[in-house]
Amino acid sequence: MKVIKNIIANFNRYGFLMKQLIMRDFKVKYKRSVLGIVWSLLYPVLMMIVMAMVFSQMFKFRMEGVNYLVYLMTGLVMFNYFSEASNVAMSSVVVNFPLINKVYIPKYIFPIAKTLFVGINFLLTLIPLLVIILITGCSINIWYIFLPYIFICLLLFTMGIGLLLSTISVFLRDMFYIYGIIITIWNYMTPVFYDISIIPEALQSLFKLNPLYIFINGARSIILYGQLPSVVELLSMGAIGIGVLAIGSIVFKKNQDKFIYYV
């Protein structure tokens, strides 16, 4: 926990640098793009349309009692955030080696800045999600006030994974390729486009240990069913987010002084 407190304390000290890194990422991502930031709104909608057509029409996926588009979109935007943020965080230290060699900067700023940058895009994708919720007739309920808590827990979890991956990738560049396989498997093991009930009962308990399932299922409980996740589930989300961030921070801090030897 001391490591996390140091990170939080340095946010104030290096807040300006953090903002500059995030602004730089925005400029690079949308440079020479005609639609620019609008793509953050269009991309999830276009992906949802494609996946909805594939899974609802070709594979005949259905969700009893809920709107499949909202079910799909909720899982899609949350998993895509984790996938993109963890990927860019993984390469953040290696890509910024020239800057790290010139001036002293807390190295964990790079993966955290990447995670926050993608997090801003994630917030933008919530706009088309809300529009789809309203268009499809899903009612907005009082438990929506707990959605920010779930999203923050997902953010903390993603930061922790990003710190772990950015540490490993410095010493093992093959991690860039290995993680591509891992995230693909992770995607299929997370009920993004299917319901967990289609999984054999013997395996369901294993699938439910997936942290992303816990976050996505919690958000779906509120959005689709108007139900607040249980206290145990809510506490589990917080424990997973803080726990993984703590582990990632400790691993990163213990190894960051060795990074210079692997440039």
Side-chain angles (χ1 to χ4, degrees):
M1 296 302 294
K2 183 179 179 181
V3 177
I4 295 179
K5 288 181 180 178
N6 290 336
I7 290 177
I8 294 174
N10 279 329
F11 259 99
N12 294 328
R13 184 177 180 183
Y14 295 97
F16 177 77
L17 174 60
M18 185 80 70
K19 292 178 183 177
Q20 292 302 309
L21 290 173
I22 294 174
M23 290 176 62
R24 182 194 67 178
D25 288 336
F26 263 102
K27 291 177 181 178
V28 170
K29 182 171 183 176
Y30 298 113
K31 185 179 181 181
R32 297 180 182 176
S33 173
V34 177
L35 295 179
I37 201 170
V38 176
W39 277 113
S40 295
L41 304 177
L42 285 178
Y43 179 77
V45 174
L46 295 174
M47 283 295 296
M48 180 210 66
I49 293 173
V50 172
M51 294 187 72
M53 290 177 63
V54 171
F55 294 110
S56 66
Q57 299 301 320
M58 294 179 62
F59 294 103
K60 306 298 180 182
F61 278 26
R62 295 288 186 273
M63 295 298 303
E64 293 296 331
V66 297
N67 187 284
Y68 181 70
L69 288 180
V70 178
Y71 180 91
L72 174 63
M73 187 72 166
T74 304
L76 194 63
V77 296
M78 294 182 70
F79 187 89
N80 281 352
Y81 163 68
F82 171 76
S83 176
E84 182 181 355
S86 58
N87 264 297
V88 295
M90 175 172 57
S91 62
S92 60
V93 174
V94 173
V95 169
N96 285 286
F97 262 144
L99 181 58
I100 292 173
N101 287 335
K102 291 179 182 177
V103 294
Y104 172 76
I105 301 172
K107 300 174 185 65
Y108 57 76
I109 279 183
F110 296 107
I112 290 177
K114 290 292 186 182
T115 307
L116 293 175
F117 161 65
V118 182
I120 295 173
N121 276 331
F122 169 71
L123 292 177
L124 293 174
T125 62
L126 295 179
I127 297 174
L129 173 59
L130 179 61
V131 171
I132 291 170
I133 290 172
L134 295 174
I135 290 175
T136 54
C138 293
S139 60
I140 307 296
N141 59 76
I142 190 173
W143 304 125
Y144 270 61
I145 61 176
F146 282 87
L147 286 176
Y149 168 78
I150 296 175
F151 296 151
I152 290 172
C153 291
L154 175 61
L155 171 69
L156 297 178
F157 173 74
T158 306
M159 278 186 181
I161 295 295
L163 288 167
L164 286 171
L165 290 172
S166 61
T167 303
I168 297 171
S169 63
V170 171
F171 305 111
L172 181 66
R173 302 299 167 84
D174 291 344
M175 193 62 197
F176 295 122
Y177 307 102
I178 295 171
Y179 189 62
I181 299 172
I182 292 174
I183 202 68
T184 300
I185 297 172
W186 205 335
N187 186 16
Y188 287 111
M189 291 188 67
T190 305
V192 173
F193 51 84
Y194 62 87
D195 185 68
I196 198 169
S197 62
I198 70 172
I199 304 296
E201 289 188 14
L203 294 176
Q204 284 186 23
S205 57
L206 177 63
F207 274 60
K208 289 179 180 179
L209 294 176
N210 178 357
L212 292 180
Y213 167 78
I214 297 173
F215 297 131
I216 293 173
N217 188 60
R220 282 173 172 163
S221 295
I222 294 173
I223 295 172
L224 291 167
Y225 303 102
Q227 298 176 354
L228 181 67
S230 68
V231 174
V232 173
E233 290 174 319
L234 291 172
L235 291 177
S236 296
M237 293 178 200
I240 291 170
I242 295 173
V244 173
L245 177 58
I247 293 171
S249 301
I250 292 170
V251 171
F252 192 95
K253 186 177 186 340
K254 285 187 175 181
N255 291 278
Q256 63 179 349
D257 293 337
K258 303 175 186 176
F259 289 172
I260 192 69
Y261 303 113
Y262 292 84
V263 177

